[in-house]
Amino acid sequence: MSHFKWGRRCLATNVATPLSNVQTGVILSRVPQVTPEVTDFEQKFYKYQDELERRLMWTFPRWFYFKKGTVAEREFSQAQKYPLPARDGVWFPKGKPEIRHGRDRRFKENIVLPKAEGHEKQGESSATQVENLDDASRPIKPLPRVTEADKTNNQHSLERKLSRTLYLLVRQNNMWKFPAFPVPDDSKPLHTIAEEGLKNLGGEKLNVWTVSHTPTALLKFSNGKLVHDLPQDGIREYLIRSHIIAGEFQLNKIDGCEEYKWLTREEIQQQTDPAYFEKIDCLLSKV
Amino acid sequence: MVFVQLRQFSNSSIAAGRPGYSLVKPVHHRVRIRKQLLSPRFPELKLPPTDVRSPKYRPFLVRQDRVKEHYHNTLKSDLLLINYQHDQKDVEGPKRRKWDMSSPYHINRPLQKPKGQIVPSPTIRARTWKNVPFFEGVSINCFVEEAKANPAAAIAAQLQIQQITNSKVYPIYAKTNVPTWKLRPGMLMGARTRLTGAPAHQFLSTLTELVLPRARDFRGIRNSAGDQYGNIAFGLSAETVRLFPEIEHNQDSWPNTYGFWLTLHTSAQLDYEARTLLSGLGLPFYGNEKVPLLLRQAQGL
């Protein structure tokens, strides 16, 4: 999509850097797989607002969903818990009920779906019961947000910290950093070299998507250290942003890479050099 | 002597037995008086709808918004990078032109049409972190042809749209007179609605996760769809509408369903940016990408 050029670029005015001093780095991230964790306050706020919305909702139009005189209507009506109507001479501790269409309009309406036949057998263990997929009232069982990799803190696993963005960090030339690959010649653009480098580093099973051909940042190295002003023989590392879509990262020890980890922003802060983290902090997602 | 100028009404019209009028524009009744604010009877009607005590109050932040969070946590930074170009400049869209005042008749004449087009085009601003495109909402337009012969079909379509979107639905009336189609102005023809915020996100995720993956006739949105300025429209057939869970789980009540048009509104300035955003939100696209006219003009292509 980004191949539309807005204006012709001027020729570079400064002296061209030799390609041996250019590297292309990759910020390979695994995007969040589940919704972020909500704080206690947010949870309470949403609960309150949700209750308020349910209180203000219209009464459930049962005459639309259940035609009069059908078996479904009878089952539905029997399953409901109807509120007690107001009576003279009776004191209601929660106030006098105002009932319209079988609903106390002071409170939210609780709709009970009639239980299907499979649910009526109590005492049977859930393992023996076959789950009836046609039954709309079967209990919803969400998968756990905490995975096996979370429990063992397996930092090689992509299934850890599902609600956070994980970044691939490698120990390259005894420094924890984003993987970087040398640029052999000017026949290929930076993002292609990054994609091919990732394939060589992580194996053929890796399925990645490069976000843009434009590098997202430039890191300047001199003698393996980050510098602000680049000397003549310093190394320019252009960072290409990329997402892992599918597959598995299996490290081949090339380009001086010895180890890898999938880490969140806070873990990167602990793992990397403070000077390096300061440079890349703005590139990392806080979620 | 104090001279008070009174508004003079035409005497000739009074003589002719017609009510008089003045060419002087009235200064009163310019401020709309809302009588509900004057009446002491219903104090709760004076409250703004954002106040919890107001009868119009509806809570809107009721749960986590998955689509919104995905946009802010993942898509937004990617979209900024994708749409970024070095040395980006504003591309001025053709605007209405001033007359050169060579003729005295040019005074007070409405401005000339923009060069080469009838309506002016907006200026395309350079992309910065401040104007990353976002999903604004979706409007649904259901025009039912059967409603010409059977007006009840339009009401059924209204009910269907209301059921799918859980929002207030407005009727559509025919505007034109087409005798060969037996269409006359004022005929009730269908339903429309507009979703924004959390309901729009809910609708979008239902569409992309439950409906479109199971639709047999849906290949994706054509790349040629779009109004040039970031709003993309496509249609759903009557069979596809059956896949919405609200209708699928209550098949008996829906002997007929009606297809409709969806317009996805984004804050993108050009269609290809809107397509990038929407594909990030899970909508597939197919076909050849078209270079926007404004960009072609800007580059002299």
Side-chain angles (χ1 to χ4, degrees):
Chain A
M1 299 274 173
S2 61
H3 53 262
F4 305 120
K5 283 275 175 276
W6 284 79
R8 292 209 175 77
R9 294 194 58 194
C10 303
L11 292 168
T13 46
N14 51 353
V15 181
T17 320
L19 281 178
S20 57
N21 290 350
V22 174
Q23 286 196 342
T24 168
V26 192
I27 308 177
L28 185 62
S29 57
R30 193 229 52 195
V31 297
Q33 304 293 298
V34 298
T35 49
E37 302 282 346
V38 283
T39 59
D40 199 26
F41 173 75
E42 279 172 327
Q43 212 161 14
K44 281 175 183 164
F45 174 79
Y46 285 136
K47 174 105 170 61
Y48 178 79
Q49 294 287 309
D50 186 50
E51 291 286 310
L52 203 53
E53 193 199 28
R54 282 168 195 280
R55 159 68 187 82
L56 294 169
M57 263 182 195
W58 286 0
T59 302
F60 177 66
R62 64 188 64 187
W63 49 87
F64 176 72
Y65 291 98
F66 302 103
K67 294 285 170 288
K68 222 172 187 182
T70 56
V71 178
E73 192 236 357
R74 201 182 60 215
E75 281 180 356
F76 179 80
S77 301
Q78 281 171 355
Q80 303 314 304
K81 277 181 79 182
Y82 291 100
L84 280 180
R87 283 176 121 199
D88 286 343
V90 177
W91 178 69
F92 288 87
K94 285 182 179 173
K96 205 176 162 192
E98 294 172 58
I99 293 171
R100 303 282 183 280
H101 293 288
R103 175 200 180 178
D104 192 343
R105 53 193 294 251
R106 299 171 306 154
F107 306 117
K108 71 170 182 181
E109 190 180 18
N110 280 317
I111 297 291
V112 188
L113 284 180
K115 289 257 160 77
E117 283 166 23
H119 286 293
E120 283 164 14
K121 295 169 198 159
Q122 296 288 323
E124 266 187 78
S125 68
S126 57
T128 56
Q129 267 188 352
V130 182
E131 200 176 33
N132 181 13
L133 293 177
D134 293 330
D135 175 16
S137 66
R138 69 183 190 276
I140 296 168
K141 287 179 221 150
L143 289 171
R145 291 170 66 95
V146 179
T147 59
E148 207 53 48
D150 274 317
K151 287 172 194 161
T152 56
N153 196 24
N154 180 6
Q155 293 186 332
H156 292 318
S157 170
L158 278 165
E159 284 173 8
R160 200 173 61 92
K161 303 242 177 191
L162 293 180
S163 62
R164 299 291 311 270
T165 311
L166 293 184
Y167 295 93
L168 175 71
L169 241 67
V170 293
R171 192 155 64 85
Q172 196 169 21
N173 305 327
N174 282 325
M175 181 185 179
W176 278 101
K177 61 198 281 293
F178 293 128
F181 313 105
V183 178
D185 49 50
D186 60 358
S187 63
K188 287 173 194 163
L190 288 176
H191 70 275
T192 315
I193 294 166
E195 280 167 18
E196 286 172 3
L198 267 182
K199 276 263 188 287
N200 294 335
L201 187 71
E204 284 299 313
K205 283 184 181 175
L206 208 59
N207 185 357
V208 298
W209 174 67
T210 306
V211 172
S212 171
H213 302 178
T214 316
T216 185
L218 167 62
L219 301 179
K220 297 167 187 168
F221 289 94
S222 178
N223 299 325
K225 278 182 183 170
L226 272 171
V227 286
H228 187 67
D229 299 313
L230 197 69
Q232 200 67 29
D233 59 340
I235 285 175
R236 290 160 176 272
E237 190 182 306
Y238 292 94
L239 290 176
I240 300 286
R241 194 182 275 278
S242 186
H243 292 315
I244 180 161
I245 304 295
E248 202 182 339
F249 188 86
Q250 290 167 330
L251 184 72
N252 299 323
K253 292 178 179 172
I254 52 165
D255 290 332
C257 298
E258 291 143 37
E259 226 182 313
Y260 78 98
K261 277 176 182 177
W262 289 96
L263 300 175
T264 61
R265 180 175 167 274
E266 290 80 48
E267 289 161 346
I268 290 173
Q269 187 172 18
Q270 289 167 5
Q271 192 75 58
T272 56
D273 191 43
Y276 186 76
F277 183 76
E278 198 190 338
K279 278 274 176 203
I280 62 164
D281 186 19
C282 56
L283 304 170
L284 305 178
S285 168
K286 290 188 173 63
V287 176
Chain B
M1 187 184 145
V2 180
F3 179 73
V4 180
Q5 193 183 5
L6 293 169
R7 286 174 76 221
Q8 289 295 313
F9 288 93
S10 155
N11 289 324
S12 60
S13 62
I14 293 169
R18 283 182 271 113
Y21 67 92
S22 167
L23 283 176
V24 181
K25 281 191 176 171
V27 287
H28 52 207
H29 300 311
R30 299 298 291 273
V31 177
R32 209 172 139 245
I33 295 169
R34 290 162 70 199
K35 285 194 175 176
Q36 65 190 30
L37 297 183
L38 302 178
S39 161
R41 285 194 296 165
F42 306 111
E44 61 271 19
L45 288 181
K46 294 174 192 168
L47 297 165
T50 47
D51 196 313
V52 184
R53 292 165 299 167
S54 164
K56 284 182 183 168
Y57 176 79
R58 299 289 294 178
F60 64 99
L61 283 171
V62 288
R63 56 191 70 87
Q64 252 186 314
D65 193 338
R66 214 151 53 94
V67 175
K68 192 167 114 187
E69 271 162 1
H70 171 59
Y71 173 78
H72 282 290
N73 298 338
T74 308
L75 276 187
K76 204 175 177 185
S77 61
D78 285 357
L79 285 172
L80 179 60
L81 189 64
I82 289 170
N83 294 321
Y84 178 80
Q85 300 278 343
H86 286 295
D87 308 326
Q88 213 165 321
K89 298 234 167 47
D90 291 0
V91 178
E92 184 78 29
K95 301 282 187 261
R96 287 193 214 283
R97 293 166 295 161
K98 277 185 183 154
W99 296 97
D100 56 0
M101 292 296 164
S102 58
S103 157
Y105 292 108
H106 285 165
I107 298 168
N108 287 342
R109 188 180 272 190
L111 292 178
Q112 222 174 347
K113 275 185 285 192
K115 207 166 191 178
Q117 46 194 75
I118 294 160
V119 287
S121 299
T123 300
I124 308 301
R125 305 267 168 221
R127 189 57 73 197
T128 65
W129 61 271
K130 287 179 191 166
N131 59 2
V132 180
F134 62 89
F135 176 64
E136 283 174 344
V138 51
S139 47
I140 293 171
N141 197 329
C142 179
F143 186 92
V144 185
E145 257 180 56
E146 299 103 277
K148 284 183 295 190
N150 174 22
I155 294 166
Q158 286 178 19
L159 191 61
Q160 175 201 292
I161 302 295
Q162 183 179 335
Q163 182 90 95
I164 291 171
T165 60
N166 186 25
S167 73
K168 167 86 178 158
V169 177
Y170 298 92
I172 292 178
Y173 296 101
K175 285 183 191 167
T176 49
N177 185 17
V178 189
T180 49
W181 296 349
K182 295 180 180 168
L183 194 70
R184 290 182 307 283
M187 287 166 80
L188 179 63
M189 291 309 291
R192 68 177 169 87
T193 188
R194 171 92 191 238
L195 301 172
T196 50
H201 292 157
Q202 175 65 54
F203 182 79
L204 191 73
S205 55
T206 310
L207 198 67
T208 54
E209 284 160 26
L210 297 177
V211 179
L212 296 182
R214 292 186 295 154
R216 282 161 187 249
D217 54 347
F218 183 78
R219 280 179 62 197
I221 305 172
R222 213 181 272 271
N223 267 340
S224 56
D227 72 342
Q228 298 186 47
Y229 305 120
N231 303 311
I232 286 171
F234 68 103
L236 291 185
S237 65
E239 288 80 63
T240 312
V241 172
R242 291 205 163 271
L243 300 171
F244 275 93
E246 293 87 356
I247 290 176
E248 197 185 20
H249 295 299
N250 195 12
Q251 296 266 12
D252 301 343
S253 300
W254 297 101
N256 298 316
T257 48
Y258 306 95
F260 52 80
W261 285 94
L262 292 167
T263 309
L264 303 161
H265 301 277
T266 67
S267 74
Q269 303 179 82
L270 293 168
D271 279 351
Y272 72 93
E273 290 174 342
R275 280 193 279 275
T276 318
L277 165 66
L278 292 174
S279 65
L281 292 174
L283 284 160
F285 287 88
Y286 76 98
N288 291 330
E289 182 76 40
K290 214 167 44 171
V291 181
L293 181 71
L294 262 178
L295 285 195
R296 268 185 284 153
Q297 285 170 348
Q299 294 160 26
L301 287 172

